[in-house]
mmCIF file of all heavy atoms in Angstrom:
data_model
loop_
_atom_site.group_PDB
_atom_site.id
_atom_site.type_symbol
_atom_site.label_atom_id
_atom_site.label_comp_id
_atom_site.label_asym_id
_atom_site.label_seq_id
_atom_site.Cartn_x
_atom_site.Cartn_y
_atom_site.Cartn_z
ATOM 1 N N VAL A 40 22.007 0.792 1.977
ATOM 2 C CA VAL A 40 21.820 1.451 0.689
ATOM 3 C C VAL A 40 20.337 1.770 0.487
ATOM 4 O O VAL A 40 19.967 2.857 0.041
ATOM 5 C CB VAL A 40 22.338 0.560 -0.466
ATOM 6 C CG1 VAL A 40 21.879 1.105 -1.814
ATOM 7 C CG2 VAL A 40 23.870 0.507 -0.442
ATOM 8 N N ARG A 41 19.467 0.816 0.821
ATOM 9 C CA ARG A 41 18.032 1.079 0.738
ATOM 10 C C ARG A 41 17.622 2.211 1.669
ATOM 11 O O ARG A 41 16.854 3.098 1.298
ATOM 12 C CB ARG A 41 17.280 -0.220 1.062
ATOM 13 C CG ARG A 41 15.763 -0.218 0.813
ATOM 14 C CD ARG A 41 14.927 0.432 1.925
ATOM 15 N NE ARG A 41 15.310 -0.008 3.241
ATOM 16 C CZ ARG A 41 14.823 -1.087 3.866
ATOM 17 N NH1 ARG A 41 13.937 -1.845 3.250
ATOM 18 N NH2 ARG A 41 15.203 -1.392 5.086
ATOM 19 N N ASN A 42 18.162 2.175 2.903
ATOM 20 C CA ASN A 42 17.804 3.205 3.885
ATOM 21 C C ASN A 42 18.267 4.601 3.457
ATOM 22 O O ASN A 42 17.695 5.602 3.914
ATOM 23 C CB ASN A 42 18.400 2.865 5.244
ATOM 24 C CG ASN A 42 17.687 1.695 5.916
ATOM 25 O OD1 ASN A 42 16.587 1.312 5.519
ATOM 26 N ND2 ASN A 42 18.326 1.107 6.917
ATOM 27 N N HIS A 43 19.297 4.664 2.660
ATOM 28 C CA HIS A 43 19.830 5.952 2.188
ATOM 29 C C HIS A 43 19.357 6.290 0.785
ATOM 30 O O HIS A 43 20.031 7.013 0.046
ATOM 31 C CB HIS A 43 21.363 5.952 2.259
ATOM 32 C CG HIS A 43 21.911 6.063 3.643
ATOM 33 N ND1 HIS A 43 22.066 4.943 4.459
ATOM 34 C CD2 HIS A 43 22.335 7.136 4.368
ATOM 35 C CE1 HIS A 43 22.559 5.333 5.621
ATOM 36 N NE2 HIS A 43 22.731 6.654 5.599
ATOM 37 N N ASN A 44 18.177 5.768 0.446
ATOM 38 C CA ASN A 44 17.533 6.106 -0.835
ATOM 39 C C ASN A 44 18.435 5.826 -2.038
ATOM 40 O O ASN A 44 18.489 6.603 -2.997
ATOM 41 C CB ASN A 44 17.094 7.573 -0.843
ATOM 42 C CG ASN A 44 16.063 7.854 0.222
ATOM 43 O OD1 ASN A 44 15.109 7.094 0.384
ATOM 44 N ND2 ASN A 44 16.242 8.951 0.937
ATOM 45 N N LEU A 45 19.172 4.713 -1.950
ATOM 46 C CA LEU A 45 20.018 4.215 -3.037
ATOM 47 C C LEU A 45 21.217 5.123 -3.309
ATOM 48 O O LEU A 45 21.847 5.037 -4.367
ATOM 49 C CB LEU A 45 19.209 4.006 -4.328
ATOM 50 C CG LEU A 45 17.932 3.170 -4.207
ATOM 51 C CD1 LEU A 45 17.356 2.897 -5.593
ATOM 52 C CD2 LEU A 45 18.181 1.868 -3.457
ATOM 53 N N ASN A 46 21.545 5.975 -2.362
ATOM 54 C CA ASN A 46 22.707 6.856 -2.475
ATOM 55 C C ASN A 46 23.902 6.146 -1.862
ATOM 56 O O ASN A 46 24.043 6.112 -0.635
ATOM 57 C CB ASN A 46 22.433 8.178 -1.786
ATOM 58 C CG ASN A 46 23.541 9.190 -1.990
ATOM 59 O OD1 ASN A 46 24.713 8.850 -2.053
ATOM 60 N ND2 ASN A 46 23.172 10.462 -2.105
ATOM 61 N N VAL A 47 24.764 5.581 -2.694
ATOM 62 C CA VAL A 47 25.894 4.787 -2.200
ATOM 63 C C VAL A 47 26.903 5.673 -1.492
ATOM 64 O O VAL A 47 27.524 5.242 -0.496
ATOM 65 C CB VAL A 47 26.542 4.001 -3.363
ATOM 66 C CG1 VAL A 47 27.712 3.161 -2.842
ATOM 67 C CG2 VAL A 47 25.516 3.102 -4.042
ATOM 68 N N SER A 48 27.093 6.902 -1.950
ATOM 69 C CA SER A 48 28.040 7.811 -1.301
ATOM 70 C C SER A 48 27.609 8.108 0.130
ATOM 71 O O SER A 48 28.433 8.073 1.054
ATOM 72 C CB SER A 48 28.147 9.114 -2.098
ATOM 73 O OG SER A 48 28.678 8.882 -3.383
ATOM 74 N N ALA A 49 26.330 8.415 0.305
ATOM 75 C CA ALA A 49 25.807 8.703 1.657
ATOM 76 C C ALA A 49 25.905 7.444 2.530
ATOM 77 O O ALA A 49 26.212 7.544 3.719
ATOM 78 C CB ALA A 49 24.362 9.180 1.574
ATOM 79 N N THR A 50 25.652 6.283 1.939
ATOM 80 C CA THR A 50 25.769 5.022 2.677
ATOM 81 C C THR A 50 27.192 4.806 3.154
ATOM 82 O O THR A 50 27.431 4.450 4.313
ATOM 83 C CB THR A 50 25.322 3.828 1.803
ATOM 84 O OG1 THR A 50 24.005 4.062 1.314
ATOM 85 C CG2 THR A 50 25.354 2.538 2.593
ATOM 86 N N ALA A 51 28.133 5.008 2.251
ATOM 87 C CA ALA A 51 29.532 4.811 2.587
ATOM 88 C C ALA A 51 29.963 5.761 3.709
ATOM 89 O O ALA A 51 30.682 5.381 4.635
ATOM 90 C CB ALA A 51 30.425 5.042 1.354
ATOM 91 N N GLU A 52 29.477 7.013 3.639
ATOM 92 C CA GLU A 52 29.835 7.983 4.662
ATOM 93 C C GLU A 52 29.264 7.582 6.014
ATOM 94 O O GLU A 52 29.942 7.689 7.043
ATOM 95 C CB GLU A 52 29.292 9.354 4.256
ATOM 96 C CG GLU A 52 29.686 10.480 5.209
ATOM 97 C CD GLU A 52 29.215 11.828 4.720
ATOM 98 O OE1 GLU A 52 28.880 11.950 3.542
ATOM 99 O OE2 GLU A 52 29.169 12.773 5.529
ATOM 100 N N SER A 53 28.032 7.089 6.029
ATOM 101 C CA SER A 53 27.397 6.715 7.300
ATOM 102 C C SER A 53 28.059 5.468 7.903
ATOM 103 O O SER A 53 28.053 5.300 9.127
ATOM 104 C CB SER A 53 25.917 6.438 7.092
ATOM 105 O OG SER A 53 25.704 5.258 6.364
ATOM 106 N N LEU A 54 28.640 4.617 7.068
ATOM 107 C CA LEU A 54 29.270 3.383 7.545
ATOM 108 C C LEU A 54 30.796 3.506 7.664
ATOM 109 O O LEU A 54 31.473 2.509 7.960
ATOM 110 C CB LEU A 54 28.918 2.205 6.597
ATOM 111 C CG LEU A 54 27.446 1.829 6.540
ATOM 112 C CD1 LEU A 54 27.215 0.758 5.486
ATOM 113 C CD2 LEU A 54 26.941 1.362 7.889
ATOM 114 N N TYR A 55 31.296 4.712 7.407
ATOM 115 C CA TYR A 55 32.732 4.980 7.502
ATOM 116 C C TYR A 55 33.551 4.010 6.627
ATOM 117 O O TYR A 55 34.531 3.413 7.049
ATOM 118 C CB TYR A 55 33.209 4.880 8.947
ATOM 119 C CG TYR A 55 32.450 5.792 9.875
ATOM 120 C CD1 TYR A 55 31.428 5.303 10.696
ATOM 121 C CD2 TYR A 55 32.727 7.148 9.928
ATOM 122 C CE1 TYR A 55 30.715 6.155 11.527
ATOM 123 C CE2 TYR A 55 32.031 8.020 10.756
ATOM 124 C CZ TYR A 55 31.006 7.502 11.553
ATOM 125 O OH TYR A 55 30.291 8.352 12.375
ATOM 126 N N THR A 56 33.112 3.864 5.405
ATOM 127 C CA THR A 56 33.827 3.007 4.457
ATOM 128 C C THR A 56 33.825 3.692 3.097
ATOM 129 O O THR A 56 33.397 4.848 2.966
ATOM 130 C CB THR A 56 33.187 1.602 4.382
ATOM 131 O OG1 THR A 56 34.020 0.752 3.601
ATOM 132 C CG2 THR A 56 31.786 1.654 3.776
ATOM 133 N N SER A 57 34.278 2.984 2.075
ATOM 134 C CA SER A 57 34.394 3.622 0.751
ATOM 135 C C SER A 57 33.234 3.228 -0.158
ATOM 136 O O SER A 57 32.675 2.129 -0.049
ATOM 137 C CB SER A 57 35.704 3.202 0.078
ATOM 138 O OG SER A 57 35.697 1.819 -0.241
ATOM 139 N N GLN A 58 32.887 4.128 -1.068
ATOM 140 C CA GLN A 58 31.816 3.863 -2.025
ATOM 141 C C GLN A 58 32.180 2.657 -2.931
ATOM 142 O O GLN A 58 31.343 1.788 -3.128
ATOM 143 C CB GLN A 58 31.564 5.122 -2.875
ATOM 144 C CG GLN A 58 30.490 4.937 -3.933
ATOM 145 C CD GLN A 58 30.239 6.220 -4.720
ATOM 146 O OE1 GLN A 58 30.655 7.286 -4.316
ATOM 147 N NE2 GLN A 58 29.584 6.083 -5.845
ATOM 148 N N PRO A 59 33.406 2.599 -3.478
ATOM 149 C CA PRO A 59 33.749 1.440 -4.322
ATOM 150 C C PRO A 59 33.654 0.124 -3.545
ATOM 151 O O PRO A 59 33.254 -0.894 -4.113
ATOM 152 C CB PRO A 59 35.191 1.731 -4.741
ATOM 153 C CG PRO A 59 35.323 3.204 -4.653
ATOM 154 C CD PRO A 59 34.504 3.596 -3.484
ATOM 155 N N GLY A 60 34.002 0.165 -2.251
ATOM 156 C CA GLY A 60 33.947 -1.055 -1.433
ATOM 157 C C GLY A 60 32.531 -1.579 -1.294
ATOM 158 O O GLY A 60 32.281 -2.770 -1.397
ATOM 159 N N ILE A 61 31.600 -0.664 -1.085
ATOM 160 C CA ILE A 61 30.181 -1.058 -0.960
ATOM 161 C C ILE A 61 29.672 -1.599 -2.292
ATOM 162 O O ILE A 61 29.034 -2.636 -2.377
ATOM 163 C CB ILE A 61 29.319 0.134 -0.494
ATOM 164 C CG1 ILE A 61 29.629 0.442 0.974
ATOM 165 C CG2 ILE A 61 27.834 -0.199 -0.667
ATOM 166 C CD1 ILE A 61 28.839 1.616 1.531
ATOM 167 N N SER A 62 29.962 -0.875 -3.365
ATOM 168 C CA SER A 62 29.496 -1.312 -4.691
ATOM 169 C C SER A 62 30.042 -2.696 -5.028
ATOM 170 O O SER A 62 29.301 -3.549 -5.566
ATOM 171 C CB SER A 62 29.950 -0.307 -5.749
ATOM 172 O OG SER A 62 29.363 0.961 -5.518
ATOM 173 N N LYS A 63 31.297 -2.939 -4.693
ATOM 174 C CA LYS A 63 31.895 -4.227 -4.990
ATOM 175 C C LYS A 63 31.215 -5.357 -4.211
ATOM 176 O O LYS A 63 30.879 -6.409 -4.767
ATOM 177 C CB LYS A 63 33.385 -4.188 -4.659
ATOM 178 C CG LYS A 63 34.098 -5.522 -4.898
ATOM 179 C CD LYS A 63 35.568 -5.429 -4.503
ATOM 180 C CE LYS A 63 36.272 -6.782 -4.681
ATOM 181 N NZ LYS A 63 37.710 -6.706 -4.307
ATOM 182 N N GLN A 64 30.950 -5.128 -2.909
ATOM 183 C CA GLN A 64 30.339 -6.142 -2.071
ATOM 184 C C GLN A 64 28.897 -6.408 -2.508
ATOM 185 O O GLN A 64 28.439 -7.568 -2.464
ATOM 186 C CB GLN A 64 30.400 -5.724 -0.614
ATOM 187 C CG GLN A 64 31.786 -5.742 0.010
ATOM 188 C CD GLN A 64 32.395 -7.132 -0.006
ATOM 189 O OE1 GLN A 64 31.714 -8.134 0.205
ATOM 190 N NE2 GLN A 64 33.692 -7.188 -0.229
ATOM 191 N N VAL A 65 28.181 -5.397 -2.910
ATOM 192 C CA VAL A 65 26.811 -5.577 -3.377
ATOM 193 C C VAL A 65 26.806 -6.426 -4.647
ATOM 194 O O VAL A 65 25.998 -7.340 -4.810
ATOM 195 C CB VAL A 65 26.111 -4.218 -3.634
ATOM 196 C CG1 VAL A 65 24.776 -4.415 -4.351
ATOM 197 C CG2 VAL A 65 25.899 -3.478 -2.317
#
Side-chain angles (χ1 to χ4, degrees):
V40 167
R41 190 278 313 273
N42 288 344
H43 286 84
N44 297 315
L45 309 188
N46 186 323
V47 181
S48 296
T50 304
E52 185 176 343
S53 71
L54 296 175
Y55 304 101
T56 189
S57 68
Q58 179 179 345
I61 290 180
S62 297
K63 179 182 177 180
Q64 290 298 323
V65 170

